[in-house]
Amino acid sequence: MNNLNSYWKPFNRADNPSILEVVSGQGVNLYDKDGKKYFDGYSGLWNMPYGYDDEDIKNAIIDQLNTLPYVNPITINYPKIEELSQLLCRILHKDIDKIIYTCSGSESNEVAIKLARKYSALKGSSRKAIGVVENSYHGSYYGSMSASTYEGKLREGYGPMLSGFVSLPMPFTRDFKIDEFSTECKEKIVSRLNEELAVLKDHLCAIIIEPIIASGGIIPLFDEYIRALYEVCQDNDILFVCDEVATGFGRTGELFCFQHFNIKPDIITLSKGINNGYLPLGATCVTKKVVQQFINNKEIIFHLSTQNGNPLSVAAALANINKMLQDNTLEKVRENSAFISKTIKNDLCKFNSIFDIRCFGMMFAIDIVDENDKPIPKEKLSELMQRIYSLGCIMGSAYVEGITSAILVLPPFIATKGDIKKLSKIISKAIIEVNLF
């Protein structure tokens, strides 16, 4: 009889011990069995903007549970799913026509991949290739995993992967901090991108982007880069797919990140912040031109998970989104973003080990380097993260060899200034205690 527990955590070895075991949550805090409090600076897994005990969302779930806890998604409709669908169409953009529900971001991107290739086939095209940006993460199902290049080594042995994905150059260099990219630097990156697109455009049925490379280190795609991708899609009837799983629902200071760029994606994938993380839900949002191809050809959408559009999940989403729209949430995110950025930069500017602090809305990466200005080793980053946990704060990390070694901070929208000051002081203390100053 071994002493391992029976739960095998996602993205963990089977023999990895738990860093932390909690028994309850309240507001922005988690508590272990001894009553120790931990500020959750990671919003669960980026999906809990309103924390652990929002009464509006909990009551919506309870009411729905007492009314209608489940329906067969193939044959039965119900009022709240139509209400949520119309709400999403309204807050996305005017060309969004249909919402396909999923149980996760991985599944949302899986549906997008299917739609892109089927749309191409329905037009009579042989184009099947899909462009993805280097170091992106789109999920862990076979299609979405095949579309991801983040943590590429961890995919080895699971193949064969789904074929037909081509990598596009990531708009990032370690020669500059992200907000110091010169016009010349951006032009070089876009020029290289355009050269590759000129070769690929006749083979591509879609391009999928994370507007901010999230798991890979909070690396925003700058405006000129996104415009180059969008324009080649517009000019060549290539579907432009925006993966808003991490960035959707206010995280960047707009309801959706694409709204910063004055573009209208053909497909938008959602999950995480859609219902404050209380129940599994995602969505793949589709424009009229894609829907019309299916209608013209009398085709179904070949996709199903038994819990797609579960009434409890949908009720939670309606309560969550209406709360965002009614509570001036976006303005609060922008104000919090400025305060968090200023606080962290003021506290960490004394450390030579801080290469950059990347910020987009309430998404932060603290990029840490060694004495040779190289990203610190994965083992050292892990040691730092464990120290942060022990000091009473939960955050995440991103390690991409040769690109970044970073602490990731994505706090709940309801975090107070006191919470943020505590978080920042803990990061400073942990950096000193593991000798990274």
Side-chain angles (χ1 to χ4, degrees), residues 11-51:
F11 282 102
N12 273 266
R13 285 174 21 186
D15 58 351
N16 264 13
S18 292
I19 296 176
L20 175 64
E21 185 172 332
V22 300
V23 296
S24 64
Q26 184 176 14
V28 297
N29 299 307
L30 290 168
Y31 298 84
D32 67 17
K33 59 182 174 53
D34 299 318
K36 182 176 178 179
K37 182 170 72 173
Y38 299 82
F39 170 63
D40 186 358
Y42 215 44
S43 299
L45 190 48
W46 322 345
N47 60 337
M48 302 182 74
Y50 293 116

Side-chain angles (χ1 to χ4, degrees), residues 102-392:
T102 69
C103 295
S104 69
S106 291
E107 189 186 353
S108 295
N109 286 320
E110 199 82 4
V111 174
I113 291 164
K114 288 181 178 180
L115 285 173
R117 288 184 168 168
K118 183 67 171 180
Y119 172 77
S120 181
L122 291 176
K123 293 189 304 172
S125 171
S126 62
R127 297 191 299 187
K128 300 294 182 187
I130 297 176
V132 294
V133 181
E134 291 171 349
N135 201 36
S136 293
Y137 175 77
H138 296 291
S140 59
Y141 294 8
Y142 259 103
S144 55
M145 179 167 66
S146 300
S148 305
T149 53
Y150 175 67
E151 294 282 30
K153 289 182 179 179
L154 297 181
R155 298 182 302 164
E156 293 177 3
Y158 290 99
M161 294 291 110
L162 191 64
S163 62
F165 293 94
V166 292
S167 289
L168 304 171
M170 183 179 63
F172 183 72
T173 171
R174 291 205 64 85
D175 296 331
F176 309 98
K177 296 180 180 182
I178 202 80
D179 59 359
E180 295 175 354
F181 275 22
S182 65
T183 300
E184 182 183 8
C185 176
K186 290 180 179 179
E187 286 175 349
K188 285 182 179 179
I189 292 171
V190 172
S191 176
R192 180 188 164 204
L193 174 66
N194 284 330
E195 288 175 4
E196 297 199 18
L197 290 172
V199 175
L200 293 170
K201 62 182 175 64
D202 293 331
H203 305 281
L204 294 172
C205 67
I207 292 174
I208 304 176
I209 69 160
E210 288 181 281
I212 299 171
I213 295 174
S215 296
I218 314 299
I219 298 171
L221 309 186
F222 56 82
D223 184 73
E224 295 89 341
Y225 184 96
I226 288 179
R227 294 299 311 181
L229 292 175
Y230 186 65
E231 286 170 9
V232 80
C233 288
Q234 293 286 98
D235 293 343
N236 296 277
D237 197 17
I238 298 166
L239 295 183
F240 187 85
V241 182
C242 198
D243 177 349
E244 293 260 9
V245 171
T247 53
F249 300 102
R251 180 56 66 177
T252 68
E254 295 287 350
L255 268 176
F256 303 98
C257 193
F258 77 84
Q259 292 168 340
H260 291 279
F261 303 102
N262 192 31
I263 59 175
K264 295 192 295 184
D266 299 296
I267 298 174
I268 302 163
T269 59
L270 307 171
S271 187
K272 292 203 182 293
I274 194 169
N275 65 8
N276 204 47
Y278 286 4
L279 289 165
L281 185 67
T284 306
C285 312
V286 192
T287 50
K288 294 181 181 72
K289 79 170 185 179
V290 178
V291 172
Q292 198 59 48
Q293 278 292 343
F294 279 76
I295 292 173
N296 292 346
N297 287 274
K298 298 181 172 59
E299 287 278 354
I300 66 165
I301 169 66
F302 195 95
H303 186 82
L304 168 69
S305 177
T306 302
Q307 293 294 335
N308 288 160
N310 176 282
L312 305 181
S313 303
V314 166
L318 275 168
N320 179 70
I321 298 169
N322 283 324
K323 191 181 189 75
M324 287 187 175
L325 297 175
Q326 294 162 11
D327 287 0
N328 201 23
T329 295
L330 297 181
E331 186 59 35
K332 292 175 184 176
V333 169
R334 294 171 197 140
E335 291 174 2
N336 286 345
S337 174
F339 179 79
I340 297 167
S341 181
K342 180 180 178 181
T343 301
I344 292 176
K345 288 177 180 178
N346 284 346
D347 285 346
L348 302 187
C349 65
K350 60 191 174 188
F351 298 122
N352 293 327
S353 58
I354 305 301
F355 167 72
D356 194 8
I357 298 174
R358 295 186 288 273
C359 164
F360 205 118
M362 288 182 71
M363 305 177 74
F364 298 85
I366 301 165
D367 195 310
I368 307 172
V369 293
D370 60 20
E371 61 278 7
N372 298 312
D373 288 332
K374 303 293 184 184
I376 60 171
K378 193 172 189 177
E379 296 73 22
K380 195 66 177 177
L381 179 61
S382 178
E383 181 187 352
L384 175 61
M385 297 311 302
Q386 290 181 39
R387 190 67 194 133
I388 288 170
Y389 270 60
S390 71
L391 290 170

Side-chain angles (χ1 to χ4, degrees), residues 362-436:
M362 288 182 71
M363 305 177 74
F364 298 85
I366 301 165
D367 195 310
I368 307 172
V369 293
D370 60 20
E371 61 278 7
N372 298 312
D373 288 332
K374 303 293 184 184
I376 60 171
K378 193 172 189 177
E379 296 73 22
K380 195 66 177 177
L381 179 61
S382 178
E383 181 187 352
L384 175 61
M385 297 311 302
Q386 290 181 39
R387 190 67 194 133
I388 288 170
Y389 270 60
S390 71
L391 290 170
C393 198
I394 298 169
M395 301 175 205
S397 63
Y399 178 81
V400 185
E401 189 173 354
I403 295 175
T404 189
S405 192
I407 301 169
L408 302 187
V409 182
L410 292 92
F413 299 169
I414 60 171
T416 66
K417 290 183 177 180
D419 294 326
I420 298 309
K421 289 176 181 177
K422 174 185 174 182
L423 174 149
S424 188
K425 296 299 182 188
I426 284 175
I427 296 172
S428 294
K429 185 174 173 60
I431 287 172
I432 292 169
E433 291 184 357
V434 300
N435 299 312
L436 281 171

